[in-house]
Amino acid sequence: ASVNDASAVSTVDLGTAANYAILTKTGISTVPSSSITGNIGVSPAAGTYMTGFSFTADSSAEFSRSSQVTGFAFAPTDSAPTPTILTIAVSDMETAYNDASQRTNTRGYNVGGGDIGGMTLT
């Protein structure tokens, strides 16, 4: 964690999970008009748990592309080294969550009371 000054709240270290705009263990659903900026990934769920996307596998078979994603889509069913990279990223995500969940919210942000379904966040 980094700290800018003595009164600042330290940041949560996302590790390699920071390489993804969306990273999940269970799946990602979208609609045709959506647009995601950044990489997306699922693990341990298979790539078939990313629904609503039109994917084209890269020639390396290490990731896929979609016109809805400015970045790449990664799944544990992709070629090596992708499964190992995803396992590490998911572990980093869980470590970051555990760190963040133990912190006191001193800023009072609670967007939507925790229910952000249907919201557009910018």
Side-chain angles (χ1 to χ4, degrees):
S2 62
V3 177
N4 294 331
D5 62 49
S7 65
V9 176
S10 59
T11 58
V12 175
D13 182 3
L14 299 176
T16 60
N19 295 328
Y20 301 87
I22 301 172
L23 179 62
T24 178
K25 294 170 64 174
T26 57
I28 303 168
S29 291
T30 190
V31 294
S33 62
S34 67
S35 176
I36 299 169
T37 302
N39 296 325
I40 62 174
V42 296
S43 182
T48 56
Y49 285 80
M50 290 188 280
T51 61
F53 296 93
S54 176
F55 287 124
T56 303
D58 183 71
S59 62
S60 70
E62 293 176 14
F63 59 88
S64 294
R65 299 176 192 267
S66 170
S67 62
Q68 296 163 272
V69 180
T70 304
F72 305 118
F74 297 92
T77 48
D78 292 337
S79 295
T82 300
T84 300
I85 292 169
L86 283 169
T87 298
I88 294 166
V90 167
S91 177
D92 289 349
M93 174 182 69
E94 290 172 332
T95 299
Y97 175 84
N98 290 332
D99 174 16
S101 70
Q102 298 303 309
R103 296 177 181 215
T104 302
N105 181 354
T106 60
R107 302 228 170 122
Y109 301 128
N110 191 14
V111 176
D115 181 1
I116 59 171
M119 290 184 173
T120 300
L121 305 175
T122 58

